Amino acid sequence: MFPAPTAAPASTAGGGASPARAGASRLGWADTAKGVCILLVVLWHVVVKHYLQIDWRLDVPITGFWGMLGNALLTLRMPLFFTISGMFATGAFQRPWRVVARSRVAKFLYLYVLWVCIHTALLALVPGFDTASAGSVGEFVEQLTISPPNLWYLYALALYFTVAKALRRVPRPVMLAAALILSAVVAAGYVPIEANRGSLLQNLLFFLAGLYFRPYFERLADTTGRRRAVLITVAYGAAALALMVTGAQQFPGAWPAVCVIATLFGVSVGPLVAAVPGIGSGLAWLGRRTLPIYVIHMPVLALIHKVLVGPLSTVGALGQHAFVFLYPALLTALIVALCLLAENLLRKARATWLFDLPRRRIK
């Protein structure tokens, strides 16, 4: 998710992709997709941890719409993120442990522990904010090991790569089948889920899919035209709607099946979005800066929630009408901007150790 992918040679698969399109599928579409995903992650947290906690005393269904939209996109955000992460781990996967242990495992474990410590300290200032935060040494140790908090993606990157690398001699169909069963069982509720443990167990499947099937995803991105994009969009919309309406997530296999369709949708539509002037390049720009947004946005949201939840709950109907419709989208944009501003200031202050594993000094 976080390392910017390097451009691969243009594929000749499909034969019909233009040079611009091929370039977008190799680099632009992946960064664009990552940009969309990080916006969706922030939006989801804005909605469930702040927007829906406001006492909206209005007789309009818009608050339910934002919650429903967030739930519908659960099948897209993290599965697509992990698929892209797996795709761009393929080069490191082929290298010896001594070469990649630092960049693919130690780095993300370091960032995970560091930012869990930072979040624990900052979120203690906002005790009423609805998010996982350690209140004791025991809870802190549990979060670092078996029940990761909101920073679980960092932990997952290190863990998934370690599992895939350590079990590289296991046949790929066996690995994928095991990951699929694990995802299906957890999604169906057969495994007790605390904090983000369920997400950690469910998404190994998509990291492995990206790692093993990168050429196929690239070919799909290269060759998808508007007609196929419309068809996969309709298929994903229908599948997500059916999952919500029927509650079929409790049926083993339904959740990962919809997530697979969502991932194919993201890979197919990504190049088309990347080709839109202005929008594609802007999202790709964000997609190359997902790390600071990911690690900083939750404390920023918590502080905003502390300041605004009371006033927004007590302001009159006219004031609430002015905020209720576009407030989640506007607040998401503000938080992302604040995260990037904070990163810029921290880097200027030479606090680069907050975003990367410090380099070893050569004696």
Side-chain angles (χ1 to χ4, degrees):
M1 166 175 151
F2 301 123
T6 55
S11 170
T12 58
S18 67
R21 181 68 174 280
S25 70
R26 295 305 164 196
L27 180 60
W29 79 262
D31 283 334
T32 298
K34 287 164 58 183
V36 171
C37 287
I38 196 63
L39 288 176
L40 293 179
V41 168
V42 178
L43 176 64
W44 170 244
H45 290 153
V46 165
V47 170
V48 299
K49 298 180 183 297
H50 173 63
Y51 181 74
L52 294 181
Q53 307 306 316
I54 297 170
D55 182 13
W56 296 105
R57 290 170 285 112
L58 302 173
D59 190 20
V60 293
I62 191 67
T63 55
F65 164 78
W66 282 109
M68 182 182 68
L69 178 65
N71 278 320
L73 294 173
L74 282 172
T75 53
L76 175 66
R77 288 189 295 268
M78 301 318 295
L80 181 57
F81 246 148
F82 279 114
T83 299
I84 295 172
S85 297
M87 288 175 61
F88 292 104
T90 53
F93 186 71
Q94 304 300 327
R95 301 187 186 107
W97 268 114
R98 59 183 174 78
V99 177
V100 298
R102 178 179 171 85
S103 63
R104 291 289 172 173
V105 180
K107 172 184 176 179
F108 290 112
L109 287 179
Y110 162 78
L111 290 173
Y112 175 67
V113 173
L114 172 65
W115 281 96
V116 167
C117 293
I118 294 173
H119 277 210
T120 300
L122 293 178
L123 292 174
L125 304 174
V126 194
F129 186 63
D130 183 21
T131 196
S133 180
S136 66
V137 174
E139 290 180 355
F140 181 73
V141 173
E142 183 178 351
Q143 286 190 352
L144 288 179
T145 53
I146 61 173
S147 297
N150 294 300
L151 295 159
W152 67 276
Y153 190 89
L154 297 167
Y155 189 41
L157 284 177
L159 181 62
Y160 292 172
F161 188 84
T162 300
V163 169
K165 186 74 171 171
L167 301 179
R168 62 190 181 279
R169 297 188 185 279
V170 177
R172 291 183 174 185
V174 174
M175 289 288 291
L176 287 168
L180 174 59
I181 293 171
L182 179 63
S183 182
V185 167
V186 172
Y190 295 131
V191 176
I193 298 175
E194 294 190 19
N196 292 292
R197 188 187 305 164
S199 298
L200 185 70
L201 297 175
Q202 286 175 249
N203 284 287
L204 173 62
L205 171 66
F206 301 97
F207 181 85
L208 293 178
L211 185 67
Y212 296 161
F213 299 135
R214 173 173 174 166
Y216 300 99
F217 285 120
E218 290 181 333
R219 185 179 304 168
L220 177 64
D222 276 349
T223 60
T224 296
R226 292 183 180 179
R227 181 178 179 182
R228 187 193 294 175
V230 170
L231 291 176
I232 191 64
T233 300
V234 171
Y236 172 49
L241 181 62
L243 192 68
M244 287 194 302
V245 171
T246 64
Q249 180 176 337
Q250 302 302 316
F251 184 81
W255 177 265
V258 176
C259 290
V260 168
I261 298 173
T263 301
L264 296 176
F265 160 77
V267 173
S268 300
V269 175
L272 300 179
V273 177
V276 178
I279 295 177
S281 59
L283 289 170
W285 184 86
L286 279 181
R288 293 189 289 271
R289 292 161 178 83
T290 53
L291 175 59
I293 299 171
Y294 181 73
V295 298
I296 296 174
H297 82 273
M298 191 62 73
V300 172
L301 175 60
L303 294 174
I304 290 175
H305 176 78
K306 183 177 182 179
V307 173
L308 293 183
V309 65
L312 287 176
S313 295
T314 57
V315 72
L318 181 62
Q320 287 199 335
H321 272 108
F323 282 96
V324 69
F325 293 99
L326 296 178
Y327 181 61
L330 296 175
L331 185 57
T332 295
L334 174 63
I335 290 174
V336 168
L338 291 174
C339 290
L340 295 174
L341 174 62
E343 183 217 8
N344 185 49
L345 295 175
L346 289 167
R347 289 190 182 276
K348 286 183 177 179
R350 298 188 178 182
T352 55
W353 51 272
L354 289 170
F355 306 107
D356 201 357
L357 185 64
R359 295 183 179 276
R360 293 172 291 189
R361 294 184 179 180
I362 301 176
K363 297 182 179 180

